[in-house]
Amino acid sequence: MVAVAHGSRDPRAAATVTELAGAVRALRPGLPVQASFLDHAPPAPDRALDALAGDGAAEAVVLPLLLTAAYHSKTDLPGVLNRVRARWPRLALRTARTLGPHPLLTDALERRLSEAGVEPGDPDTAVVLVAAGSSDPAANATIWRLAREWRSRGWRGVVPAFASASRPTPAEAVAALRDAGAPRVAVASYFLAPGYFADKVRAESLEAGAWAVSPVLGAAPEVAELVVHRYDEALATARAAGGRTATAV
């Protein structure tokens, strides 16, 4: 498996992805897992795949560690894989789906909120679900849908917010819920790894009056379980296609 993360100049991000890769190996002993990054940190996914092919690998599952399907999964990663296929036509590439959306990510969000002192499903707590935000309307719509579905778990309410590219901002969402009379407002960080956006969201949310801000998802057990699920799913799709290269980003 070559797991592909967004990448960040913040060294905490690569360390978190490396920790997640270790958690995946613990769940699936014997499975080689190589972390890679689209930006800012080595190795790039094409370099990781080149190394595997050069060592004689016949097949690889490329798994996007991305929480929504947006530009990176729809444009950047397919471009990388097309270049690799041109160089290594004998390397069978199976491309898994992005991590989100999936119920296991909701479980991971609640785990992280619990670690921040927020009781899952507390009827007196309203939640702001904060994602990075995207210029892709479909990616933002996924966050709106996730927020709607999450309300059924007992919260006073769940609303989406975005760190960039869309609105409301986390501060706007926190203020709106407080103005609407929510006794407590907690912010759920829908980020895989720490970095600029996660730090910005935390600072702005607390300044706006949030009671708690959860840590990033990181190597939560549910995230590691989801990575294994997406890996198995990609192989099953390939088998159903008769062994032909399968792409399901």
Side-chain angles (χ1 to χ4, degrees), residues 7-8 13 21 27 44 47 61 71-72 100 104 106-107 114-115 132 140 183 189 193 203 206 216 222-223 234 242 249:
S8 171
L27 285 177
R47 298 305 180 195
V61 172
Y71 186 84
H72 285 303
L104 281 169
T106 306
D107 294 340
S114 180
E115 291 170 357
N140 296 333
S189 300
L206 292 174
V216 299
E222 297 84 357
V223 179
V249 177

PDB file of all heavy atoms in Angstrom, residues 7-8 13 21 27 44 47 61 71-72 100 104 106-107 114-115 132 140 183 189 193 203 206 216 222-223 234 242 249:
ATOM      1  N   GLY A   7       0.156  16.528   2.783  1.00  0.00           N
ATOM      2  CA  GLY A   7       1.485  17.060   3.035  1.00  0.00           C
ATOM      3  C   GLY A   7       1.420  18.464   3.606  1.00  0.00           C
ATOM      4  O   GLY A   7       0.474  19.207   3.370  1.00  0.00           O
ATOM      5  N   SER A   8       2.436  18.816   4.371  1.00  0.00           N
ATOM      6  CA  SER A   8       2.472  20.112   5.047  1.00  0.00           C
ATOM      7  C   SER A   8       3.914  20.481   5.357  1.00  0.00           C
ATOM      8  O   SER A   8       4.771  19.606   5.520  1.00  0.00           O
ATOM      9  CB  SER A   8       1.667  20.049   6.353  1.00  0.00           C
ATOM     10  OG  SER A   8       1.850  21.215   7.126  1.00  0.00           O
ATOM     11  N   ALA A  13       2.707  17.142  10.854  1.00  0.00           N
ATOM     12  CA  ALA A  13       1.807  16.470   9.918  1.00  0.00           C
ATOM     13  C   ALA A  13       2.409  15.157   9.427  1.00  0.00           C
ATOM     14  O   ALA A  13       1.756  14.105   9.464  1.00  0.00           O
ATOM     15  CB  ALA A  13       1.491  17.396   8.747  1.00  0.00           C
ATOM     16  N   ALA A  21       0.342   5.224   9.638  1.00  0.00           N
ATOM     17  CA  ALA A  21       0.840   4.073   8.876  1.00  0.00           C
ATOM     18  C   ALA A  21       1.250   2.936   9.812  1.00  0.00           C
ATOM     19  O   ALA A  21       0.990   1.757   9.528  1.00  0.00           O
ATOM     20  CB  ALA A  21       2.017   4.497   8.001  1.00  0.00           C
ATOM     21  N   LEU A  27      -2.669  -3.363  12.498  1.00  0.00           N
ATOM     22  CA  LEU A  27      -3.931  -4.036  12.192  1.00  0.00           C
ATOM     23  C   LEU A  27      -3.777  -5.114  11.130  1.00  0.00           C
ATOM     24  O   LEU A  27      -4.519  -6.097  11.130  1.00  0.00           O
ATOM     25  CB  LEU A  27      -4.969  -3.008  11.699  1.00  0.00           C
ATOM     26  CG  LEU A  27      -5.603  -2.090  12.727  1.00  0.00           C
ATOM     27  CD1 LEU A  27      -6.541  -1.099  12.038  1.00  0.00           C
ATOM     28  CD2 LEU A  27      -6.375  -2.894  13.775  1.00  0.00           C
ATOM     29  N   ALA A  44       7.345  11.892  -2.478  1.00  0.00           N
ATOM     30  CA  ALA A  44       6.171  12.078  -3.319  1.00  0.00           C
ATOM     31  C   ALA A  44       5.628  10.704  -3.713  1.00  0.00           C
ATOM     32  O   ALA A  44       6.384   9.722  -3.766  1.00  0.00           O
ATOM     33  CB  ALA A  44       6.541  12.878  -4.561  1.00  0.00           C
ATOM     34  N   ARG A  47       7.477   8.916  -6.535  1.00  0.00           N
ATOM     35  CA  ARG A  47       8.785   8.394  -6.142  1.00  0.00           C
ATOM     36  C   ARG A  47       8.640   7.099  -5.354  1.00  0.00           C
ATOM     37  O   ARG A  47       9.426   6.155  -5.516  1.00  0.00           O
ATOM     38  CB  ARG A  47       9.546   9.428  -5.315  1.00  0.00           C
ATOM     39  CG  ARG A  47       9.841  10.722  -6.054  1.00  0.00           C
ATOM     40  CD  ARG A  47      10.570  10.482  -7.352  1.00  0.00           C
ATOM     41  NE  ARG A  47      10.867  11.697  -8.068  1.00  0.00           N
ATOM     42  CZ  ARG A  47      11.238  11.747  -9.344  1.00  0.00           C
ATOM     43  NH1 ARG A  47      11.357  10.618 -10.035  1.00  0.00           N
ATOM     44  NH2 ARG A  47      11.491  12.903  -9.936  1.00  0.00           N
ATOM     45  N   VAL A  61      -1.553  -0.838  -4.167  1.00  0.00           N
ATOM     46  CA  VAL A  61      -2.795  -0.109  -3.893  1.00  0.00           C
ATOM     47  C   VAL A  61      -2.406   1.297  -3.451  1.00  0.00           C
ATOM     48  O   VAL A  61      -1.663   1.466  -2.484  1.00  0.00           O
ATOM     49  CB  VAL A  61      -3.627  -0.799  -2.796  1.00  0.00           C
ATOM     50  CG1 VAL A  61      -4.808   0.084  -2.389  1.00  0.00           C
ATOM     51  CG2 VAL A  61      -4.132  -2.148  -3.294  1.00  0.00           C
ATOM     52  N   TYR A  71     -10.004  18.433  -5.283  1.00  0.00           N
ATOM     53  CA  TYR A  71      -9.015  18.619  -6.348  1.00  0.00           C
ATOM     54  C   TYR A  71      -7.868  17.626  -6.268  1.00  0.00           C
ATOM     55  O   TYR A  71      -7.447  17.068  -7.292  1.00  0.00           O
ATOM     56  CB  TYR A  71      -8.475  20.058  -6.296  1.00  0.00           C
ATOM     57  CG  TYR A  71      -7.556  20.386  -7.441  1.00  0.00           C
ATOM     58  CD1 TYR A  71      -8.070  20.804  -8.672  1.00  0.00           C
ATOM     59  CD2 TYR A  71      -6.172  20.278  -7.308  1.00  0.00           C
ATOM     60  CE1 TYR A  71      -7.227  21.099  -9.737  1.00  0.00           C
ATOM     61  CE2 TYR A  71      -5.321  20.574  -8.367  1.00  0.00           C
ATOM     62  CZ  TYR A  71      -5.853  20.988  -9.577  1.00  0.00           C
ATOM     63  OH  TYR A  71      -5.027  21.270 -10.630  1.00  0.00           O
ATOM     64  N   HIS A  72      -7.364  17.382  -5.072  1.00  0.00           N
ATOM     65  CA  HIS A  72      -6.207  16.490  -4.951  1.00  0.00           C
ATOM     66  C   HIS A  72      -6.532  15.082  -5.426  1.00  0.00           C
ATOM     67  O   HIS A  72      -5.717  14.443  -6.099  1.00  0.00           O
ATOM     68  CB  HIS A  72      -5.716  16.443  -3.507  1.00  0.00           C
ATOM     69  CG  HIS A  72      -4.972  17.657  -3.092  1.00  0.00           C
ATOM     70  ND1 HIS A  72      -3.848  18.110  -3.749  1.00  0.00           N
ATOM     71  CD2 HIS A  72      -5.179  18.540  -2.091  1.00  0.00           C
ATOM     72  CE1 HIS A  72      -3.392  19.204  -3.181  1.00  0.00           C
ATOM     73  NE2 HIS A  72      -4.190  19.494  -2.160  1.00  0.00           N
ATOM     74  N   GLY A 100     -13.032   9.722   3.423  1.00  0.00           N
ATOM     75  CA  GLY A 100     -14.386  10.192   3.701  1.00  0.00           C
ATOM     76  C   GLY A 100     -15.208  10.336   2.440  1.00  0.00           C
ATOM     77  O   GLY A 100     -14.661  10.426   1.336  1.00  0.00           O
ATOM     78  N   LEU A 104     -17.095   5.526  10.126  1.00  0.00           N
ATOM     79  CA  LEU A 104     -15.967   5.394  11.046  1.00  0.00           C
ATOM     80  C   LEU A 104     -15.322   6.742  11.347  1.00  0.00           C
ATOM     81  O   LEU A 104     -14.778   6.945  12.440  1.00  0.00           O
ATOM     82  CB  LEU A 104     -14.921   4.438  10.457  1.00  0.00           C
ATOM     83  CG  LEU A 104     -15.234   2.940  10.604  1.00  0.00           C
ATOM     84  CD1 LEU A 104     -14.266   2.115   9.758  1.00  0.00           C
ATOM     85  CD2 LEU A 104     -15.167   2.505  12.061  1.00  0.00           C
ATOM     86  N   THR A 106     -17.000   9.548  11.663  1.00  0.00           N
ATOM     87  CA  THR A 106     -17.855  10.143  12.688  1.00  0.00           C
ATOM     88  C   THR A 106     -17.504   9.576  14.057  1.00  0.00           C
ATOM     89  O   THR A 106     -17.443  10.304  15.051  1.00  0.00           O
ATOM     90  CB  THR A 106     -19.328   9.895  12.370  1.00  0.00           C
ATOM     91  OG1 THR A 106     -19.608  10.349  11.035  1.00  0.00           O
ATOM     92  CG2 THR A 106     -20.238  10.641  13.340  1.00  0.00           C
ATOM     93  N   ASP A 107     -17.258   8.269  14.105  1.00  0.00           N
ATOM     94  CA  ASP A 107     -16.829   7.658  15.373  1.00  0.00           C
ATOM     95  C   ASP A 107     -15.512   8.266  15.847  1.00  0.00           C
ATOM     96  O   ASP A 107     -15.326   8.515  17.055  1.00  0.00           O
ATOM     97  CB  ASP A 107     -16.673   6.148  15.196  1.00  0.00           C
ATOM     98  CG  ASP A 107     -17.984   5.437  14.909  1.00  0.00           C
ATOM     99  OD1 ASP A 107     -19.057   6.011  15.205  1.00  0.00           O
ATOM    100  OD2 ASP A 107     -17.931   4.309  14.374  1.00  0.00           O
ATOM    101  N   SER A 114     -14.462  13.473  22.843  1.00  0.00           N
ATOM    102  CA  SER A 114     -14.438  12.911  24.192  1.00  0.00           C
ATOM    103  C   SER A 114     -13.102  13.188  24.866  1.00  0.00           C
ATOM    104  O   SER A 114     -13.039  13.516  26.065  1.00  0.00           O
ATOM    105  CB  SER A 114     -14.714  11.408  24.129  1.00  0.00           C
ATOM    106  OG  SER A 114     -14.687  10.832  25.418  1.00  0.00           O
ATOM    107  N   GLU A 115     -12.016  13.087  24.109  1.00  0.00           N
ATOM    108  CA  GLU A 115     -10.693  13.382  24.660  1.00  0.00           C
ATOM    109  C   GLU A 115     -10.564  14.845  25.065  1.00  0.00           C
ATOM    110  O   GLU A 115      -9.756  15.188  25.935  1.00  0.00           O
ATOM    111  CB  GLU A 115      -9.624  13.020  23.633  1.00  0.00           C
ATOM    112  CG  GLU A 115      -9.495  11.523  23.395  1.00  0.00           C
ATOM    113  CD  GLU A 115      -8.611  11.178  22.214  1.00  0.00           C
ATOM    114  OE1 GLU A 115      -8.136  12.107  21.530  1.00  0.00           O
ATOM    115  OE2 GLU A 115      -8.386   9.969  21.979  1.00  0.00           O
ATOM    116  N   ALA A 132     -11.421  21.672   6.089  1.00  0.00           N
ATOM    117  CA  ALA A 132     -10.499  22.622   5.471  1.00  0.00           C
ATOM    118  C   ALA A 132     -11.215  23.569   4.520  1.00  0.00           C
ATOM    119  O   ALA A 132     -10.887  24.747   4.431  1.00  0.00           O
ATOM    120  CB  ALA A 132      -9.396  21.873   4.730  1.00  0.00           C
ATOM    121  N   ASN A 140     -17.515  20.461  -0.414  1.00  0.00           N
ATOM    122  CA  ASN A 140     -18.168  21.199   0.677  1.00  0.00           C
ATOM    123  C   ASN A 140     -19.544  20.628   0.980  1.00  0.00           C
ATOM    124  O   ASN A 140     -19.952  20.563   2.149  1.00  0.00           O
ATOM    125  CB  ASN A 140     -18.266  22.677   0.315  1.00  0.00           C
ATOM    126  CG  ASN A 140     -16.910  23.334   0.181  1.00  0.00           C
ATOM    127  OD1 ASN A 140     -15.940  22.907   0.802  1.00  0.00           O
ATOM    128  ND2 ASN A 140     -16.820  24.368  -0.640  1.00  0.00           N
ATOM    129  N   PRO A 183     -26.145  26.042  25.193  1.00  0.00           N
ATOM    130  CA  PRO A 183     -25.398  26.163  26.447  1.00  0.00           C
ATOM    131  C   PRO A 183     -23.899  25.984  26.269  1.00  0.00           C
ATOM    132  O   PRO A 183     -23.097  26.641  26.933  1.00  0.00           O
ATOM    133  CB  PRO A 183     -25.986  25.046  27.318  1.00  0.00           C
ATOM    134  CG  PRO A 183     -27.343  24.779  26.753  1.00  0.00           C
ATOM    135  CD  PRO A 183     -27.195  24.998  25.276  1.00  0.00           C
ATOM    136  N   SER A 189     -12.700  18.988  14.927  1.00  0.00           N
ATOM    137  CA  SER A 189     -11.686  19.249  13.900  1.00  0.00           C
ATOM    138  C   SER A 189     -11.639  18.098  12.907  1.00  0.00           C
ATOM    139  O   SER A 189     -11.126  17.017  13.212  1.00  0.00           O
ATOM    140  CB  SER A 189     -10.313  19.426  14.559  1.00  0.00           C
ATOM    141  OG  SER A 189     -10.326  20.507  15.462  1.00  0.00           O
ATOM    142  N   ALA A 193      -4.358  15.691  10.068  1.00  0.00           N
ATOM    143  CA  ALA A 193      -3.090  15.942  10.737  1.00  0.00           C
ATOM    144  C   ALA A 193      -3.003  17.394  11.199  1.00  0.00           C
ATOM    145  O   ALA A 193      -3.683  18.273  10.660  1.00  0.00           O
ATOM    146  CB  ALA A 193      -1.931  15.619   9.793  1.00  0.00           C
ATOM    147  N   ALA A 203      -7.528  28.435  17.483  1.00  0.00           N
ATOM    148  CA  ALA A 203      -7.391  29.778  18.049  1.00  0.00           C
ATOM    149  C   ALA A 203      -8.650  30.611  17.800  1.00  0.00           C
ATOM    150  O   ALA A 203      -9.175  31.263  18.723  1.00  0.00           O
ATOM    151  CB  ALA A 203      -6.177  30.470  17.449  1.00  0.00           C
ATOM    152  N   LEU A 206     -11.822  29.238  19.882  1.00  0.00           N
ATOM    153  CA  LEU A 206     -11.779  29.567  21.307  1.00  0.00           C
ATOM    154  C   LEU A 206     -12.019  31.058  21.523  1.00  0.00           C
ATOM    155  O   LEU A 206     -12.726  31.455  22.459  1.00  0.00           O
ATOM    156  CB  LEU A 206     -10.440  29.142  21.897  1.00  0.00           C
ATOM    157  CG  LEU A 206     -10.197  27.620  21.963  1.00  0.00           C
ATOM    158  CD1 LEU A 206      -8.781  27.327  22.425  1.00  0.00           C
ATOM    159  CD2 LEU A 206     -11.221  26.947  22.883  1.00  0.00           C
ATOM    160  N   VAL A 216      -6.992  16.840  16.112  1.00  0.00           N
ATOM    161  CA  VAL A 216      -7.177  16.276  14.772  1.00  0.00           C
ATOM    162  C   VAL A 216      -7.400  14.768  14.872  1.00  0.00           C
ATOM    163  O   VAL A 216      -7.118  14.142  15.899  1.00  0.00           O
ATOM    164  CB  VAL A 216      -5.959  16.577  13.877  1.00  0.00           C
ATOM    165  CG1 VAL A 216      -5.779  18.087  13.712  1.00  0.00           C
ATOM    166  CG2 VAL A 216      -4.691  15.935  14.439  1.00  0.00           C
ATOM    167  N   GLU A 222     -10.176   4.274  14.698  1.00  0.00           N
ATOM    168  CA  GLU A 222     -11.195   4.213  13.648  1.00  0.00           C
ATOM    169  C   GLU A 222     -10.625   4.607  12.286  1.00  0.00           C
ATOM    170  O   GLU A 222     -11.044   4.083  11.250  1.00  0.00           O
ATOM    171  CB  GLU A 222     -12.378   5.122  13.997  1.00  0.00           C
ATOM    172  CG  GLU A 222     -13.134   4.726  15.251  1.00  0.00           C
ATOM    173  CD  GLU A 222     -12.506   5.262  16.532  1.00  0.00           C
ATOM    174  OE1 GLU A 222     -11.427   5.916  16.463  1.00  0.00           O
ATOM    175  OE2 GLU A 222     -13.073   5.029  17.622  1.00  0.00           O
ATOM    176  N   VAL A 223      -9.689   5.539  12.286  1.00  0.00           N
ATOM    177  CA  VAL A 223      -9.071   5.953  11.026  1.00  0.00           C
ATOM    178  C   VAL A 223      -8.205   4.828  10.472  1.00  0.00           C
ATOM    179  O   VAL A 223      -8.238   4.520   9.272  1.00  0.00           O
ATOM    180  CB  VAL A 223      -8.252   7.244  11.208  1.00  0.00           C
ATOM    181  CG1 VAL A 223      -7.598   7.648   9.892  1.00  0.00           C
ATOM    182  CG2 VAL A 223      -9.136   8.373  11.716  1.00  0.00           C
ATOM    183  N   ALA A 234     -10.521  -1.752  -2.375  1.00  0.00           N
ATOM    184  CA  ALA A 234      -9.860  -1.568  -3.667  1.00  0.00           C
ATOM    185  C   ALA A 234      -9.477  -2.904  -4.289  1.00  0.00           C
ATOM    186  O   ALA A 234      -9.639  -3.108  -5.505  1.00  0.00           O
ATOM    187  CB  ALA A 234      -8.615  -0.690  -3.499  1.00  0.00           C
ATOM    188  N   GLY A 242     -12.004  -8.364 -12.846  1.00  0.00           N
ATOM    189  CA  GLY A 242     -11.221  -9.396 -13.531  1.00  0.00           C
ATOM    190  C   GLY A 242      -9.738  -9.172 -13.478  1.00  0.00           C
ATOM    191  O   GLY A 242      -8.992  -9.648 -14.356  1.00  0.00           O
ATOM    192  N   VAL A 249     -11.262   6.666  -7.079  1.00  0.00           N
ATOM    193  CA  VAL A 249     -10.910   7.763  -6.176  1.00  0.00           C
ATOM    194  C   VAL A 249     -12.157   8.493  -5.751  1.00  0.00           C
ATOM    195  O   VAL A 249     -12.978   8.811  -6.588  1.00  0.00           O
ATOM    196  CB  VAL A 249      -9.916   8.726  -6.877  1.00  0.00           C
ATOM    197  CG1 VAL A 249      -9.597   9.905  -5.984  1.00  0.00           C
ATOM    198  CG2 VAL A 249      -8.649   7.983  -7.220  1.00  0.00           C
TER     199      VAL A 249
END
